[in-house]
Amino acid sequence: MDHGMKHSEPVQVWPFALTRSVNTGFRIVAAPDFLVDEDRYSLLHDVTAGDPTDDAVYRREYRVRESESLRLLYRVVYLKASDVGLDGEYAMSGPRRTPLIEGVVCRTSSGPPATQELLAEVHRRCGADVRAFFEADTTTRPVSPLPSFGAPETGETVRVVELDPYPMEGRTVTTPWGRHRPRIRRFATAALSAVLSALGLRTGRRTGTVSGEGGRGPVPPEPTRGGTSGTTGQAAPGRSRRLARAAGTIVLTLLLVLVIRKLK
């Protein structure tokens, strides 16, 4: 009889892995299924900092808001050649060893114990996806969603390097996962570019030639300011239009700058 003693349930964790291939840049290969379903998995790129090391793992908290945060426990190593069916010690990306980040995401306040057994289980669960990604060597392969599992409660412990929470203290995050603000800034930049284009003031409009395929030839020169086109004193309207365009551009630019500063 256990005399009413309660046994704690294993901490549920979700595995993930990031690596690169020969021609394909560093990418998220496998991610927690709930992050994939909600299109949030890109946060793994931002949070997983650290230098490659074989004798330690990194732990970091990802803070979204006071009521929601994630805890990541992961290691940064080099991908072994045997993991992707190659000979030698390491899988190479050209002349360089291929980095591998693999670990777990935890949704509870206390993460799992950092053990060799946990790392081995993560490696086993991500191994097939890492190899398939490396062999395919393409950006079109989708991120694999992986389910949770119960983290081992005992085992050989691994040294943990604690990293500062992400985002850092004092940084304001008003939208989930920090993805909305960059989109607004990109929109503002695109709007400014469109305004300049509409006003005829974009870079390249004042040059003597038009760049691009085929060499479209010289741009017709602007009218002479002295009015030599047959009627004296006819250059004023062109000059007025240019001044009006410049003034309008300055006003619109100032408005867009104010909007961008409000979004920071």
Side-chain angles (χ1 to χ4, degrees), residues 159-230:
R159 181 172 66 91
V160 176
V161 177
E162 299 282 355
L163 299 181
D164 292 328
Y166 184 97
M168 301 292 292
E169 289 289 349
R171 176 175 172 181
T172 302
V173 180
T174 57
T175 55
W177 312 100
R179 299 181 62 187
H180 187 56
R181 289 176 179 271
R183 288 181 178 178
I184 294 179
R185 282 195 287 268
R186 288 197 297 270
F187 172 78
T189 302
L192 176 59
S193 178
V195 169
L196 294 176
S197 179
L199 294 174
L201 295 174
R202 293 199 60 165
T203 302
R205 292 293 298 271
R206 298 172 184 171
T207 59
T209 58
V210 177
S211 61
E213 290 187 5
R216 295 167 58 186
V219 175
E222 294 183 359
T224 305
R225 293 189 178 183
T228 58
S229 58

Side-chain angles (χ1 to χ4, degrees), residues 1 62 87 89 153 161 178 192 210 226 247 260-261:
M1 295 179 63
Y62 185 91
D87 296 328
E89 184 177 4
E153 298 178 312
V161 177
L192 176 59
V210 177
I260 294 172
R261 292 188 64 180

Side-chain angles (χ1 to χ4, degrees), residues 87-131:
D87 296 328
E89 184 177 4
Y90 295 107
M92 306 297 289
S93 300
R96 299 175 297 174
R97 291 177 292 181
T98 302
L100 170 66
I101 299 176
E102 57 183 8
V104 294
V105 174
C106 182
R107 305 180 79 173
T108 59
S109 57
S110 60
T115 63
Q116 292 288 358
E117 285 71 14
L118 174 63
L119 296 175
E121 182 63 18
V122 171
H123 192 70
R124 185 185 70 80
R125 289 174 178 264
C126 296
D129 290 310
V130 169
R131 178 166 181 170

Side-chain angles (χ1 to χ4, degrees), residues 72-101:
L72 281 70
L73 183 70
Y74 60 93
R75 65 176 178 176
V76 184
V77 293
Y78 291 110
L79 182 64
K80 297 292 182 63
S82 58
D83 289 332
V84 290
L86 299 176
D87 296 328
E89 184 177 4
Y90 295 107
M92 306 297 289
S93 300
R96 299 175 297 174
R97 291 177 292 181
T98 302
L100 170 66
I101 299 176

